[in-house]
Amino acid sequence: MGVSFDSEKKQFHLTTCHTSYIMEVLLGKHLVHHYWGQRVKIASAFELPLVEQSSFSPNPEPEHKEISFDTIPREFPDYGRSDYESPAIEVQLADGTHVIAPEYQSHRIQPGSVQPKGLPFIEAETGDSSETLVITLADSFSGLTIELYYTVLEKQDVITRKVVLTNQGEKPITIKRVMSATVDFFRDDHFEIINLYGAWAMERQVCRIPLGRHGHIIDSKRGSSSHEQNPFLALVRPETDEFRGEVYSMNLIYSGSFQAEASVNAHGKTRLQIGLNPIDFSWYLQPDEKFTSPEAVLVYSSRGLNGMSQIYHQLYRTRLYKGYWSKRERPILINNWEATYFDFDQDKIEQLIEESSRLGIELFVLDDGWFGKRNSDKSGLGDWWVNREKLPKGLKALSEAAHSRGMMFGLWFEPEMVSPDSDLYRSHPEWCLSVPGRYRSEGRNQLILDMGREEVQDYLYQRMTSIISENNINYIKWDMNRNMTEVGSPILSSERQKESSHRYILGLYRLLEKLISHFPEVLFESCSGGGGRFDPGMLYYMPQTWTSDNTDSVERLKIQWGTSYVYPPISMGAHVSACPNHQMGRTTSLKTRANVAMAGNMGYELDILTLSDREKKEILQQLSLYKKIRKTVQSGKFIRLRSPYGSASSAWMFLAEDQSEILLFFYLTLATPYNNFDKIRLTGLEEDSLYQDQSGQQYYGDYLMYSGLNLPELKGDFDSQLIIMNRIG
Ligand code: GLA
């Protein structure tokens, strides 16, 4: 278990409870990848393939014509010596050349995990029996040392990887590309790929296509992990489905531009990798300096896509989230954005607080518009002082109004941004990301502060700490509403300009680390025009994310389904909003809106003052129901049963950690003539457990799994049902 090294075979064997990951050192210097997959006891020595016609695959070993980097699987491929696939590393040396020849030098094994400097990571705990293997490769000519870190979390069934580069030479080295993880699958090209793509209001849609005979790159060049692609890529067997089959996946713990790639060459060698996006990135490494890559999480499952997701969910819930809120049930919030947008005053907010406390809501969130001269999205960002014209009694009065009713009080910030029409911009125009002499493109009328500058971090830290402490704020919604353009930083030298975007993310993480340490009990939720930065980097600091600005329950089914591939339901902000829906114009019942929101971290976002008594009564019931099932939703096992992509109905279920409760959510998106003849098989239950539903009907676990449950008769489009079953024997 953990890490073992066979000194005769020169073989490293990393073992988790279900997985093996094997590497070998060939000829004392070439680190080859041997195997990743279902756990095996002992691996035979790596067998080199015979390549008869090798003139087009030149070999770097004159005595060993069988060694060509074109054909053997490599653990950390460089470019320039017969490996023609995408490399894990590319550098430029001081003489302008690019070729490096990293060779195995040494290795060490240490207990626990290691934090990548200044970056979020998976922290092992005592009892995980985790170990970290560090393999050192060195290029003797340039003095570049490459340390490959593998942390094996045995019980969690996970391996994390990262890379530390050190310049031990005498001249600077420019890093042009460094992947956090790369795996070569030897003699194995039988794959399809899955990625999560999207756009604003349609984040993390599932895309699955054959790998074919070419390369697939998914990436973000936006300076954020983005709505468009999530930093996740998986290889699956064509026969793999939600319940069966193999999945090999990677997720990057990073919130900026990234790249992930899957490719296959003519020798049947498949390469999967993930890391920083090499576009608009380089890092100037002076002698003795180090560069650390973000950490990648590698998850293998032989139990289909649900098997993979359950590993990620369990890992992130227990080892990624930090502090006070990491293991606590999350409060049900109400947010005033879709109720008022910018058009509110003290009275309106006080009335909303009062009414929400009557309904049983636990946290009131005041969204955009409480600060500076912010009556539209055209001005005010950066001026983090209370707008006394709008709120003459100040924030304190509102926070006290909530607290006196036993509710928490939260506030929206968009710290990384500045409006050109703001006092902050007028006094510090030089604080923005920009390229001298170039137009600064605006997005939503705003510019981006250069988070790489310490004075910017200090200004935000000072403003936010005073607002939070003076007004006793319990929750922060941290927004970020545009992507980067004209990326550059006037404080960096010319050879460091391409460091701007990564330095921005490091500065952002530094500020977040300081704030969450200062306010350990404040709950932070990240947001980027909805789910434009839904990634494990953000989740490390802020354990929940606003999943999407699209609050339409039908669209949300697809968004929450895709998001759940990697991220647990407790991390997904999911709100009941008004109808017709503000994004889609669709009308759905209050029941269905709640049945979708209850499958995540539930909240409300509508003007409750305009609701009828019947609607208020229904909301009261929804809230008391969610409070009863919240533990199972937020810490139970989530299982996808029927996909909303391309089908008229969909379903997912939650199973309490101790199996005492089952929540089956069934949604009928489009009514069909015989939809009442439907049944669904549950999974993950103990065969002999006896369950009873709300109507008193009893079922054994084996019956629910193998015969299935007759689905309720639903009528009309957008109907839904939540079936709750409790174990009675
Ligand atoms: C973004 C967020 C919304 C809301 C607005 C406020 O679009 O995603 O939820 O906070 O900003 O301007």
Side-chain angles (χ1 to χ4, degrees):
M1 289 293 200
V3 181
S4 64
F5 179 64
D6 179 330
S7 53
E8 241 165 67
K9 286 188 214 150
K10 297 268 177 291
Q11 191 179 76
F12 299 96
H13 194 151
L14 316 185
T15 326
T16 70
C17 49
H18 296 107
T19 307
S20 284
Y21 187 107
I22 302 172
M23 297 163 274
E24 223 160 285
V25 182
L26 283 188
L27 306 179
K29 52 183 165 180
H30 304 298
L31 186 64
V32 297
H33 180 82
H34 188 149
Y35 173 74
W36 178 27
Q38 181 115 12
R39 199 169 120 193
V40 294
K41 282 185 214 71
I42 295 177
S44 50
F46 181 76
E47 288 166 40
L48 278 167
L50 277 179
V51 183
E52 283 167 12
Q53 291 171 324
S54 63
S55 63
F56 287 91
S57 299
N59 33 54
E61 292 292 341
E63 304 301 317
H64 293 271
K65 293 290 178 205
E66 70 281 16
I67 290 193
S68 156
F69 295 146
D70 200 15
T71 56
I72 63 169
R74 307 181 70 208
E75 191 55 26
F76 201 70
D78 52 89
Y79 176 76
R81 300 186 298 146
S82 85
D83 186 325
Y84 301 103
E85 309 305 308
S86 294
I89 182 158
E90 200 192 347
V91 299
Q92 182 167 352
L93 304 181
D95 62 5
T97 61
H98 294 254
V99 178
I100 51 168
E103 293 182 353
Y104 169 81
Q105 288 275 300
S106 61
H107 71 271
R108 58 181 196 274
I109 299 168
Q110 58 195 68
S113 52
V114 181
Q115 175 161 22
K117 196 164 179 272
L119 288 159
F121 76 123
I122 299 292
E123 188 167 6
E125 284 180 11
T126 343
D128 286 348
S129 41
S130 62
E131 284 185 319
T132 297
L133 164 69
V134 187
I135 302 178
T136 305
L137 313 175
D139 176 46
S140 55
F141 181 77
S142 65
L144 179 69
T145 300
I146 304 170
E147 286 173 301
L148 307 178
Y149 281 73
Y150 302 80
T151 297
V152 182
L153 290 114
E154 185 190 316
K155 290 200 184 117
Q156 285 78 10
D157 231 353
V158 166
I159 295 171
T160 63
R161 287 184 59 177
K162 58 186 164 277
V163 179
V164 176
L165 304 174
T166 310
N167 184 353
Q168 295 188 341
E170 277 154 20
K171 294 181 183 147
I173 298 172
T174 304
I175 304 162
K176 297 175 74 183
R177 174 188 177 95
V178 56
M179 291 291 119
S180 299
T182 172
V183 175
D184 276 3
F185 295 79
F186 186 48
R187 300 175 189 242
D188 194 356
D189 54 3
H190 192 53
F191 293 113
E192 295 183 350
I193 61 170
I194 296 183
N195 63 297
L196 302 171
Y197 77 100
W200 176 81
M202 52 167 286
E203 298 88 340
R204 290 167 300 285
Q205 309 282 308
V206 178
C207 173
R208 178 171 177 164
I209 52 167
L211 177 59
R213 282 275 153 193
H214 47 92
H216 302 260
I217 291 182
I218 62 139
D219 76 348
S220 161
K221 306 177 197 72
R222 294 170 175 266
S224 86
S225 50
S226 86
H227 299 87
E228 280 67 17
Q229 292 288 351
N230 199 258
F232 162 83
L233 188 60
L235 293 174
V236 295
R237 302 295 177 191
E239 62 277 13
T240 296
D241 62 19
E242 286 291 350
F243 310 100
R244 285 161 290 268
E246 290 190 299
V247 188
Y248 303 81
S249 69
M250 292 182 178
N251 187 210
L252 193 67
I253 308 181
Y254 190 63
S255 312
S257 299
F258 73 93
Q259 187 182 89
E261 185 171 350
S263 59
V264 60
N265 77 2
H267 306 285
K269 184 171 74 168
T270 301
R271 180 167 290 172
L272 179 67
Q273 43 181 228
I274 200 161
L276 293 172
N277 198 326
I279 290 184
D280 206 11
F281 165 81
S282 69
W283 200 270
Y284 189 67
L285 206 61
Q286 295 274 22
D288 294 328
E289 279 182 355
K290 283 184 190 297
F291 178 82
T292 307
S293 81
E295 189 166 274
V297 180
L298 277 64
V299 171
Y300 165 80
S301 157
S302 59
R303 294 171 298 117
L305 291 160
N306 272 312
M308 169 196 77
S309 302
Q310 284 155 15
I311 295 174
Y312 278 116
H313 294 184
Q314 173 75 7
L315 181 78
Y316 289 173
R317 282 199 281 110
T318 58
R319 296 288 178 274
L320 181 67
Y321 302 158
K322 298 280 105 199
Y324 184 83
W325 286 102
S326 60
K327 294 183 182 73
R328 282 192 160 71
E329 285 178 26
R330 307 292 165 74
I332 304 172
L333 65 79
I334 186 157
N335 178 304
N336 74 308
W337 179 242
E338 288 197 15
T340 64
Y341 295 102
F342 292 104
D343 186 16
F344 61 82
D345 57 20
Q346 194 110 26
D347 276 358
K348 176 80 183 182
I349 300 299
E350 274 171 11
Q351 285 168 30
L352 285 169
I353 291 176
E354 199 179 325
E355 191 58 35
S356 34
S357 85
R358 265 193 222 122
L359 294 174
I361 288 170
E362 299 160 324
L363 159 65
F364 187 90
V365 180
L366 180 57
D367 210 275
D368 197 353
W370 58 266
F371 54 90
K373 289 201 182 63
R374 182 79 169 166
N375 296 314
S376 74
D377 63 14
K378 294 202 168 42
S379 60
L381 289 176
D383 297 342
W384 302 110
W385 278 270
V386 181
N387 180 335
R388 288 274 172 176
E389 273 167 39
K390 238 179 189 172
L391 302 173
K393 291 188 260 164
L395 282 178
K396 189 82 179 283
L398 294 178
S399 125
E400 275 167 6
H403 292 147
S404 66
R405 289 174 175 81
M407 290 170 77
M408 297 161 64
F409 185 72
L411 212 52
W412 180 95
F413 276 93
E414 196 178 353
E416 300 156 67
M417 300 290 152
V418 63
S419 309
D421 183 2
S422 67
D423 292 341
L424 178 66
Y425 184 77
R426 281 182 281 274
S427 46
H428 286 294
E430 77 287 2
W431 278 8
C432 294
L433 281 181
S434 65
V435 174
R438 301 275 166 203
Y439 175 68
R440 297 176 177 188
S441 304
E442 291 178 17
R444 208 192 188 204
N445 313 299
Q446 61 201 50
L447 296 168
I448 306 186
L449 292 173
D450 182 357
M451 296 299 295
R453 293 172 83 123
E454 279 196 28
E455 63 270 47
V456 171
Q457 298 162 25
D458 293 346
Y459 168 77
L460 294 171
Y461 179 71
Q462 189 275 327
R463 280 319 312 137
M464 291 188 76
T465 45
S466 29
I467 295 277
I468 297 172
S469 347
E470 281 160 22
N471 301 292
N472 201 359
I473 305 297
N474 312 108
Y475 159 107
I476 300 292
K477 176 174 171 188
W478 183 296
D479 212 338
M480 196 281 260
N481 278 312
R482 59 156 293 180
N483 290 142
M484 290 181 187
T485 53
E486 297 92 25
V487 182
S489 176
I491 56 167
L492 296 177
S493 58
S494 58
E495 62 276 1
R496 292 199 181 276
Q497 280 301 311
K498 283 175 131 192
E499 298 176 8
S500 306
S501 148
H502 183 55
R503 283 183 183 274
Y504 176 102
I505 299 292
L506 293 174
L508 170 64
Y509 288 157
R510 184 169 171 269
L511 173 60
L512 283 169
E513 184 71 53
K514 275 175 73 179
L515 283 168
I516 62 165
S517 316
H518 193 132
F519 299 106
E521 290 187 19
V522 170
L523 174 60
F524 284 78
E525 172 157 351
S526 83
C527 173
S528 174
R533 220 165 41 178
F534 205 133
D535 60 65
M538 279 300 162
L539 287 173
Y540 175 83
Y541 303 98
M542 312 196 226
Q544 56 192 63
T545 303
W546 178 223
T547 313
S548 176
D549 275 347
N550 194 336
T551 55
D552 170 67
S553 50
V554 176
E555 285 305 306
R556 270 300 185 110
L557 289 175
K558 287 186 274 178
I559 296 170
Q560 292 177 206
W561 177 279
T563 305
S564 78
Y565 268 50
V566 189
Y567 309 104
I570 192 174
S571 63
M572 296 182 213
H575 300 176
V576 173
S577 61
C579 272
N581 176 266
H582 292 195
Q583 294 77 36
M584 295 288 101
R586 186 181 279 129
T587 297
T588 55
S589 66
L590 196 49
K591 175 175 92 168
T592 290
R593 281 176 269 155
N595 279 342
V596 176
M598 281 197 212
N601 195 330
M602 194 200 203
Y604 287 79
E605 189 161 339
L606 74 175
D607 189 350
I608 45 173
L609 302 175
T610 61
L611 297 179
S612 67
D613 288 346
R614 191 190 52 76
E615 287 170 316
K616 284 185 192 162
K617 201 167 152 215
E618 198 175 334
I619 291 185
L620 262 169
Q621 287 161 354
Q622 292 171 353
L623 282 160
S624 82
L625 174 62
Y626 187 68
K627 286 174 190 169
K628 283 196 198 109
I629 62 171
R630 169 162 53 185
K631 186 159 186 261
T632 303
V633 171
Q634 298 192 353
S635 61
K637 190 184 269 185
F638 177 73
I639 306 169
R640 292 178 299 269
L641 295 174
R642 185 183 292 171
S643 169
Y645 291 88
S647 52
S649 63
S650 57
W652 49 45
M653 66 177 267
F654 292 83
L655 184 59
E657 250 182 326
D658 61 359
Q659 299 243 342
S660 61
E661 185 173 54
I662 300 169
L663 309 173
L664 173 68
F665 289 88
F666 173 62
Y667 308 96
L668 181 67
T669 312
L670 278 183
T672 57
Y674 297 107
N675 54 254
N676 56 333
F677 279 85
D678 205 356
K679 79 172 176 181
I680 200 148
R681 290 178 181 181
L682 310 193
T683 70
L685 309 178
E686 277 159 15
E687 292 185 347
D688 297 334
S689 294
L690 182 62
Y691 289 94
Q692 181 166 299
D693 69 15
Q694 298 110 307
S695 70
Q697 185 76 30
Q698 299 183 354
Y699 307 91
Y700 276 101
D702 55 0
Y703 184 83
L704 290 170
M705 290 194 290
Y706 311 136
S707 173
L709 183 75
N710 292 336
L711 286 166
E713 191 176 339
L714 300 181
K715 283 236 165 58
D717 298 344
F718 320 135
D719 201 357
S720 64
Q721 187 73 43
L722 163 60
I723 299 167
I724 303 175
M725 287 188 247
N726 289 104
R727 191 172 53 192
I728 53 164

